[in-house]
Coordinates of all heavy atoms in Angstrom, one line a residue:
M159 N 4.8 -12.6 -4.2 CA 4.6 -11.8 -5.5 C 3.2 -12.0 -6.1 O 3.0 -11.8 -7.3 CB 5.7 -12.1 -6.5 CG 7.0 -11.8 -6.0 SD 8.4 -12.0 -7.2 CE 8.1 -10.5 -8.2
I160 N 2.2 -12.4 -5.3 CA 0.8 -12.5 -5.7 C 0.1 -11.2 -5.4 O -0.8 -10.7 -6.1 CB 0.1 -13.7 -5.1 CG1 0.6 -15.0 -5.7 CG2 -1.4 -13.6 -5.2 CD1 0.1 -15.3 -7.1
H161 N 0.5 -10.6 -4.3 CA -0.2 -9.3 -3.8 C 0.8 -8.2 -4.0 O 2.0 -8.4 -3.7 CB -0.6 -9.4 -2.4 CG -1.3 -8.2 -1.9 ND1 -0.9 -7.5 -0.7 CD2 -2.3 -7.4 -2.4 CE1 -1.6 -6.5 -0.5 NE2 -2.5 -6.4 -1.5
H162 N 0.3 -7.0 -4.4 CA 1.2 -5.9 -4.7 C 2.0 -5.4 -3.4 O 1.4 -5.3 -2.3 CB 0.4 -4.7 -5.2 CG 1.2 -3.4 -5.3 ND1 2.1 -3.2 -6.4 CD2 1.3 -2.3 -4.5 CE1 2.6 -2.0 -6.2 NE2 2.2 -1.5 -5.1
E163 N 3.3 -5.2 -3.6 CA 4.1 -4.6 -2.5 C 4.9 -3.5 -3.1 O 5.5 -3.7 -4.2 CB 5.0 -5.7 -1.9 CG 4.3 -6.8 -1.1 CD 5.2 -7.8 -0.5 OE1 6.3 -7.4 0.0 OE2 4.9 -8.9 -0.4
G165 N 7.8 -1.3 -4.2 CA 9.2 -1.6 -4.5 C 9.5 -2.9 -5.1 O 10.6 -3.3 -5.5
M166 N 8.4 -3.7 -5.4 CA 8.5 -5.0 -6.0 C 7.7 -4.9 -7.3 O 6.7 -4.4 -7.4 CB 8.0 -6.1 -5.2 CG 8.8 -6.3 -3.9 SD 8.3 -7.8 -3.0 CE 8.7 -9.1 -4.2
H167 N 8.3 -5.6 -8.4 CA 7.6 -5.6 -9.7 C 6.5 -6.6 -9.6 O 6.4 -7.4 -8.7 CB 8.6 -5.8 -10.8 CG 9.2 -7.2 -10.8 ND1 10.4 -7.4 -10.0 CD2 8.9 -8.3 -11.4 CE1 10.7 -8.7 -10.2 NE2 9.9 -9.3 -11.0
S168 N 5.7 -6.6 -10.7 CA 4.5 -7.5 -10.7 C 4.6 -8.6 -11.6 O 5.2 -8.5 -12.7 CB 3.3 -6.6 -11.1 OG 3.1 -5.5 -10.2
I169 N 4.1 -9.8 -11.2 CA 3.9 -10.9 -12.1 C 2.4 -11.0 -12.3 O 1.7 -11.8 -11.6 CB 4.5 -12.2 -11.5 CG1 6.0 -12.0 -11.3 CG2 4.3 -13.4 -12.5 CD1 6.6 -13.3 -10.7
G170 N 1.9 -10.2 -13.2 CA 0.5 -10.1 -13.5 C -0.1 -9.0 -12.6 O 0.5 -8.6 -11.7
P171 N -1.3 -8.6 -13.0 CA -2.0 -7.5 -12.2 C -2.2 -8.0 -10.8 O -2.8 -9.1 -10.5 CB -3.3 -7.4 -12.9 CG -3.1 -7.9 -14.3 CD -2.1 -9.0 -14.2
N172 N -1.7 -7.3 -9.8 CA -1.9 -7.6 -8.4 C -2.1 -6.4 -7.5 O -1.7 -6.5 -6.3 CB -0.7 -8.5 -7.9 CG 0.7 -7.7 -8.1 OD1 0.7 -6.6 -8.4 ND2 1.8 -8.4 -7.8
G173 N -2.6 -5.4 -8.1 CA -2.9 -4.2 -7.3 C -4.2 -3.6 -7.8 O -5.2 -4.2 -8.2
P201 N -0.3 -2.0 -17.8 CA 1.1 -1.9 -17.1 C 2.0 -1.0 -17.9 O 1.9 -0.7 -19.1 CB 1.5 -3.4 -17.1 CG 0.9 -3.9 -18.4 CD -0.5 -3.2 -18.5
K202 N 3.1 -0.6 -17.2 CA 4.2 0.2 -17.7 C 5.5 -0.7 -17.7 O 5.7 -1.3 -16.7 CB 4.4 1.5 -16.9 CG 5.5 2.3 -17.4 CD 5.6 3.6 -16.6 CE 6.1 3.3 -15.2 NZ 6.3 4.5 -14.4
N204 N 9.3 -1.1 -17.3 CA 10.4 -0.5 -16.7 C 11.6 -0.7 -17.6 O 11.8 -1.8 -18.2 CB 10.8 -1.1 -15.3 CG 9.7 -0.7 -14.3 OD1 9.3 0.5 -14.2 ND2 9.3 -1.6 -13.4
P212 N 14.1 -2.5 -12.3 CA 14.9 -3.3 -13.2 C 14.3 -3.4 -14.6 O 13.1 -3.5 -14.7 CB 15.0 -4.6 -12.5 CG 13.8 -4.8 -11.7 CD 13.4 -3.4 -11.2
G214 N 12.8 -4.4 -18.0 CA 12.0 -5.5 -18.5 C 10.9 -6.0 -17.5 O 10.1 -6.8 -17.8
T215 N 10.8 -5.4 -16.3 CA 9.8 -5.7 -15.4 C 8.6 -4.8 -15.6 O 8.7 -3.8 -16.3 CB 10.2 -5.6 -13.9 OG1 10.6 -4.2 -13.7 CG2 11.4 -6.5 -13.6
L216 N 7.4 -5.1 -15.0 CA 6.2 -4.4 -15.3 C 5.7 -3.7 -14.0 O 5.8 -4.3 -12.9 CB 5.1 -5.3 -15.8 CG 5.4 -6.0 -17.2 CD1 4.3 -6.9 -17.5 CD2 5.6 -4.9 -18.3
E217 N 5.1 -2.6 -14.1 CA 4.4 -1.9 -13.0 C 2.9 -1.7 -13.5 O 2.6 -0.9 -14.4 CB 5.0 -0.6 -12.7 CG 4.3 0.3 -11.7 CD 4.1 -0.5 -10.4 OE1 5.0 -0.9 -9.8 OE2 2.9 -0.6 -10.0
Y218 N 2.0 -2.4 -12.8 CA 0.6 -2.4 -13.2 C -0.2 -1.2 -12.6 O -1.2 -0.8 -13.1 CB -0.1 -3.7 -12.9 CG 0.2 -4.8 -13.9 CD1 1.3 -5.6 -13.8 CD2 -0.7 -5.0 -14.9 CE1 1.5 -6.6 -14.7 CE2 -0.5 -6.0 -15.9 CZ 0.7 -6.8 -15.7 OH 0.9 -7.8 -16.7
E219 N 0.2 -0.7 -11.4 CA -0.6 0.3 -10.7 C -0.3 1.7 -11.4 O 0.4 2.5 -10.8 CB -0.3 0.3 -9.2 CG -0.8 -0.9 -8.5 CD -1.0 -0.7 -7.1 OE1 -0.3 0.1 -6.5 OE2 -2.0 -1.3 -6.5
A269 N -0.6 -11.7 -19.9 CA -0.6 -12.4 -18.6 C -1.9 -13.3 -18.5 O -2.9 -13.0 -19.1 CB -0.7 -11.4 -17.4
N294 N 0.0 -17.5 -11.7 CA 0.1 -16.4 -12.6 C 1.3 -16.6 -13.5 O 2.4 -17.1 -13.1 CB 0.4 -15.1 -11.8 CG -0.8 -14.6 -11.0 OD1 -1.8 -15.3 -11.0 ND2 -0.7 -13.4 -10.5
S295 N 1.2 -16.1 -14.8 CA 2.3 -16.2 -15.7 C 2.2 -14.9 -16.6 O 1.1 -14.5 -17.0 CB 2.2 -17.4 -16.6 OG 3.3 -17.4 -17.5
V296 N 3.4 -14.3 -16.8 CA 3.5 -13.1 -17.6 C 4.6 -13.2 -18.6 O 5.7 -13.7 -18.3 CB 3.8 -11.8 -16.7 CG1 4.0 -10.6 -17.6 CG2 2.6 -11.6 -15.8
V298 N 6.5 -10.9 -21.6 CA 6.7 -9.7 -22.3 C 7.4 -9.9 -23.6 O 8.4 -10.7 -23.7 CB 7.6 -8.7 -21.4 CG1 7.8 -7.4 -22.1 CG2 7.0 -8.5 -20.0
N319 N 11.7 -13.1 -21.6 CA 11.1 -12.3 -20.4 C 9.8 -12.9 -20.0 O 8.7 -12.4 -20.3 CB 11.0 -10.8 -20.8 CG 10.7 -10.0 -19.6 OD1 10.6 -10.5 -18.4 ND2 10.7 -8.7 -19.8
S321 N 7.9 -14.7 -16.6 CA 7.9 -15.0 -15.2 C 6.6 -15.7 -14.7 O 5.6 -15.5 -15.3 CB 8.0 -13.7 -14.4 OG 9.1 -12.9 -14.7
N322 N 6.8 -16.6 -13.7 CA 5.7 -17.4 -13.2 C 5.7 -17.4 -11.7 O 6.8 -17.4 -11.1 CB 5.8 -18.9 -13.7 CG 5.9 -19.0 -15.2 OD1 5.1 -18.4 -16.0 ND2 7.0 -19.6 -15.6
V323 N 4.5 -17.4 -11.1 CA 4.4 -17.5 -9.7 C 3.1 -18.3 -9.3 O 2.1 -18.2 -10.1 CB 4.3 -16.1 -9.1 CG1 3.1 -15.3 -9.6 CG2 4.3 -16.2 -7.5
L354 N 11.8 -16.5 -12.1 CA 12.1 -15.3 -12.9 C 13.1 -15.6 -13.9 O 13.8 -16.6 -13.8 CB 12.7 -14.2 -11.9 CG 11.8 -13.8 -10.8 CD1 12.6 -12.8 -9.9 CD2 10.5 -13.2 -11.2
W360 N 18.0 -9.1 -12.9 CA 17.2 -9.2 -11.7 C 16.5 -10.5 -11.5 O 15.8 -10.7 -10.6 CB 16.1 -8.1 -11.8 CG 15.4 -8.1 -13.2 CD1 15.7 -7.3 -14.2 CD2 14.2 -8.8 -13.6 NE1 14.9 -7.6 -15.3 CE2 14.0 -8.5 -14.9 CE3 13.4 -9.8 -12.9 CZ2 12.9 -9.0 -15.6 CZ3 12.4 -10.3 -13.6 CH2 12.1 -10.0 -15.0

Side-chain angles (χ1 to χ4, degrees):
M159 300 186 75
I160 289 286
H161 182 232
H162 174 78
E163 294 182 34
M166 295 185 65
H167 64 276
S168 302
I169 301 181
N172 60 6
K202 177 180 68 175
N204 290 318
T215 61
L216 299 175
E217 174 56 55
Y218 279 87
E219 290 206 326
N294 291 5
S295 181
V296 175
V298 181
N319 195 355
S321 301
N322 308 304
V323 60
L354 303 176
W360 46 269

